[in-house]
Amino acid sequence: MGSRLWTGSSETGLAQMAKDSNSKGRLYSILVPTYNERLNIALLCYLLFKTLNDLDVDFEVIVVDDASPDNTQDVVRQLQRVYGEDKILLRPRVAKLGLGTAYVHGLKHASGDYIVIMDADLSHHPKYLPSFIRKQLETDADIVTGTRYLEGGGVHGWDLRRKLTSRGANVLAHTLLWPHVSDLTGSYRLYRKPVLEELVKACVSKGYVFQMEMIVRATRKGYTIAEVPITFVDRVYGTSKLGAQRTCDQVRWTGNSFIASLEKSFFEHGLHWWPVLSLSSHLERGNFF
Amino acid sequence: MKQVFKFFGVVGTLVALWIALLLSTELSPAVRLVVPYLPVYALVALGCYGLGMVGYGLMVFPTCPEEAVLLQKDIDEAKAFLKQKGVYVATQ
């Protein structure tokens, strides 16, 4: 596992490191799935370019829009005129087809060696990208994942119920799955492209549980994972697409994996998820919340 | 190593210890009374651990109200830039 220590980040240090490790010419593809994010995608692009133009790195932004009714694509085209069509790539799809397949779709069009995945709703701030890149250069990790639960990280805008479900799900998953990652549900991550391609192919769950499945599978496959602290400010504009469903989905996934493992091969996929099965049924009926 | 082997390694060791205790004849009568119920104690202890961890997690839950203020500043800056560049972002 990668070191969890994080020692601040200065941009000159990053530039120096980029030179030292001969990483110039590395291309980072930033994958942003959107649905009804007219305002947020514009704000995000401004912050991305502001942050990354200061650094000596090449990058491209790939927006995968699922035919948003608010015409998010129109804003992306305007942004292309400001920043250039080689910097912002619009790769729309014809209907709302889900998050997992959005990554598959975006990956097909990504030419970078490293893929950054982030949400468009500004809960993932681009100002942390330098620390992701720096951490990857330092540790040569396969995955760098943002964590809210280490020194320097944090969450803003959650009520007690949301905190309770988040902590509960994390304790449950840590007790049963031993993932060696402090924040399973965070989705602000940097991947080596082939690693992400393999993980995306292997994952079976839909929606936001997908993020958790990917990181657990990554630890099982023995990829090195480093962590950097991030802060998470709950979305300012627009409505959340996940809500309270998320924790239930998360628990249901751990349960369903057990059934899948029985069907497929007993020892391949993880019998260790079985105690969650009865718990998940209670959670689904809302017995705990 | 596969998670399933680790998991059953731990569980198997505990069960083996318990059976060894059940079968041993050198225990005092007081201890013998307790031994059959050890798995129940273990489950209760695990539950307490879980609740304790959730409670502790809630107690030390990291928050960052200052980040919300910083983000709002960034948003204002971005909006000014977009307006200047003529990017139209209002919902149609």
Side-chain angles (χ1 to χ4, degrees), chain A residues 62-210:
Chain A
I62 300 170
V63 181
V64 179
D65 184 68
D66 275 10
S68 304
D70 76 347
N71 211 355
T72 302
Q73 290 171 34
D74 161 61
V75 173
V76 178
R77 276 184 218 103
Q78 294 183 59
L79 290 165
Q80 284 178 323
R81 283 198 284 279
V82 175
Y83 291 111
E85 285 187 24
D86 57 326
K87 283 285 194 182
I88 300 182
L89 285 72
L90 177 59
R91 297 292 179 263
R93 298 192 295 171
V94 287
K96 197 171 183 194
L97 297 170
L99 200 60
T101 51
Y103 294 142
V104 177
H105 183 81
L107 264 173
K108 267 188 269 175
H109 301 284
S111 37
D113 330 298
Y114 295 87
I115 314 284
V116 174
I117 284 181
M118 62 194 299
D119 290 351
D121 63 6
L122 298 181
S123 54
H124 295 158
H125 198 296
K127 71 181 170 190
Y128 295 106
L129 275 175
S131 65
F132 277 82
I133 293 171
R134 184 190 169 90
K135 189 64 160 187
Q136 204 283 323
L137 288 172
E138 273 175 11
T139 60
D140 201 33
D142 297 311
I143 301 169
V144 181
T145 178
T147 175
R148 295 162 286 189
Y149 302 124
L150 287 183
E151 186 69 39
V155 177
H156 176 76
W158 279 7
D159 56 10
L160 184 64
R161 184 197 144 110
R162 189 80 194 275
K163 288 177 184 170
L164 187 70
T165 51
S166 172
R167 288 319 304 165
N170 261 292
V171 168
L172 194 63
H174 274 103
T175 310
L176 298 171
L177 303 179
W178 310 344
H180 310 290
V181 178
S182 64
D183 190 350
L184 288 170
T185 48
S187 52
Y188 193 176
R189 297 187 189 134
L190 184 151
Y191 294 87
R192 271 184 217 280
K193 194 184 181 189
V195 173
L196 181 59
E197 281 171 337
E198 193 190 333
L199 290 175
V200 161
K201 252 181 250 160
C203 282
V204 293
S205 56
K206 300 271 180 286
Y208 281 84
V209 198
F210 190 74

Side-chain angles (χ1 to χ4, degrees), chain A residues 38-39 42-43 46-47 50 71 74-75 78 82-83 125 127-128 148-149 153-156 158 163-164 167-168 171 176-178 220 231 233 236-237 267-268 271-272, chain B residues 2-8 10 46 49-50 53-54 57-58 61-65 67-68 70-72 74-75 77-79 81-82 85-92:
Chain A
R38 265 185 86 84
L39 175 57
L43 300 174
Y46 169 78
L47 294 172
K50 185 190 162 197
N71 211 355
D74 161 61
V75 173
Q78 294 183 59
V82 175
Y83 291 111
H125 198 296
K127 71 181 170 190
Y128 295 106
R148 295 162 286 189
Y149 302 124
V155 177
H156 176 76
W158 279 7
K163 288 177 184 170
L164 187 70
R167 288 319 304 165
V171 168
L176 298 171
L177 303 179
W178 310 344
R220 296 290 183 273
T231 57
V233 178
V236 186
Y237 299 109
F267 288 100
E268 268 294 313
L271 199 57
H272 47 284
Chain B
K2 286 260 180 267
Q3 175 78 5
V4 65
F5 295 136
K6 284 196 261 181
F7 191 84
F8 279 104
V10 172
L46 191 68
Y49 163 79
M53 286 304 282
V54 171
L58 278 179
F61 201 93
T63 54
C64 50
E67 286 297 324
L70 291 175
L71 179 62
Q72 199 54 54
D74 286 336
I75 287 172
E77 189 185 316
K79 276 182 173 170
F81 174 83
L82 294 168
K85 291 280 177 187
V87 178
Y88 180 74
V89 292
T91 312
Q92 289 168 330

